[in-house]
Amino acid sequence: MPDQIKTDELQELRETVRRLQRENQETIADRQELIAANHAEVRHLKQTIEAMRDKMEELRADKQIEVQQAISESSNEIDHLKNTIGAMREQMEEMGFEKQRAVQEGLAAANDQITQLVAIITAVREEMENQRIQYSEEIQQIKRTARDEQNQLQQTIVALRKQLEGDNGG
């Protein structure tokens, strides 16, 4: 029996070795599957990273384009506003010149009117003075005539008195 035991033990050992080899091969196969899965996952992650980089670059490029468009639009709007402000300044200056011209024309017209009114007033004063002088002369003439008539009437009265006195008894 000792040989039998040895054979059984040997058999058992062989089976254990085979089982261990199988387990080892299974473990190696599992590891290889895990490695393959890891490689596949790494490859997938690399592809994902690459896709994300591409998307980031695309987004960055789109953002850059948007920024450039915004800058361009702002620049165009600024230019438009500058042109509008320039045109408005020109209009305001033109309106100022027109207002100044209108004021000057108004002043000139007022000065002309004042000059005409002064001339009319002077002419009216002169006419009034001439009429006053004329009326004064007429009054003097009337007074002289009245004095002369009064003197003549007094002389007539004196003469008639003398005549009456001479006719009455004189």
Side-chain angles (χ1 to χ4, degrees), residues 10 73 77-78 115:
L10 193 59
E73 288 172 4
E77 188 173 348
I78 288 169
T115 302

Side-chain angles (χ1 to χ4, degrees), residues 6-163:
K6 282 185 185 176
T7 309
D8 286 339
E9 279 181 19
L10 193 59
Q11 187 78 26
E12 201 178 299
L13 281 172
R14 281 185 187 157
E15 273 190 45
T16 302
V17 168
R18 278 187 213 134
R19 188 177 43 87
L20 286 173
Q21 282 178 342
R22 255 184 284 131
E23 284 177 12
N24 192 20
Q25 283 181 349
E26 285 176 10
T27 303
I28 290 173
D30 287 343
R31 280 186 183 171
Q32 286 176 345
E33 282 179 31
L34 284 173
I35 290 172
N38 283 340
H39 283 311
E41 190 174 349
V42 166
R43 207 173 20 256
H44 176 69
L45 289 173
K46 283 182 180 180
Q47 289 172 347
T48 302
I49 289 170
E50 189 65 33
M52 290 176 82
R53 278 187 188 148
D54 291 345
K55 187 66 175 173
M56 271 182 37
E57 286 300 318
E58 184 181 323
L59 289 172
R60 189 175 290 142
D62 289 347
K63 192 65 136 184
Q64 193 69 14
I65 289 170
E66 288 176 9
V67 167
Q68 291 299 325
Q69 286 175 341
I71 289 171
S72 176
E73 288 172 4
S74 293
S75 178
N76 290 340
E77 188 173 348
I78 288 169
D79 289 342
H80 176 70
L81 290 172
K82 283 180 181 178
N83 291 337
T84 301
I85 288 169
M88 289 175 82
R89 273 193 187 131
E90 288 176 14
Q91 276 184 326
M92 285 176 57
E93 287 175 3
E94 188 175 316
M95 287 171 63
F97 292 141
E98 285 181 29
K99 181 179 177 184
Q100 191 174 15
R101 184 179 48 79
V103 167
Q104 287 175 351
E105 287 176 359
L107 286 174
N111 284 337
D112 288 346
Q113 192 173 17
I114 288 169
T115 302
Q116 289 173 359
L117 290 173
V118 166
I120 290 170
I121 289 170
T122 302
V124 167
R125 277 186 185 158
E126 287 175 3
E127 180 65 26
M128 283 176 56
E129 185 64 24
N130 288 338
Q131 284 181 0
R132 188 186 62 76
I133 291 170
Q134 183 181 356
Y135 291 141
S136 180
E137 287 175 357
E138 286 178 7
I139 288 172
Q140 291 296 326
Q141 182 64 34
I142 290 170
K143 282 182 181 179
R144 259 185 300 219
T145 304
R147 234 185 357 253
D148 288 347
E149 277 182 27
Q150 191 179 15
N151 285 339
Q152 199 174 24
L153 287 171
Q154 281 179 353
Q155 287 174 0
T156 303
I157 290 172
V158 169
L160 285 173
R161 236 188 226 153
K162 281 184 185 178
Q163 189 181 13

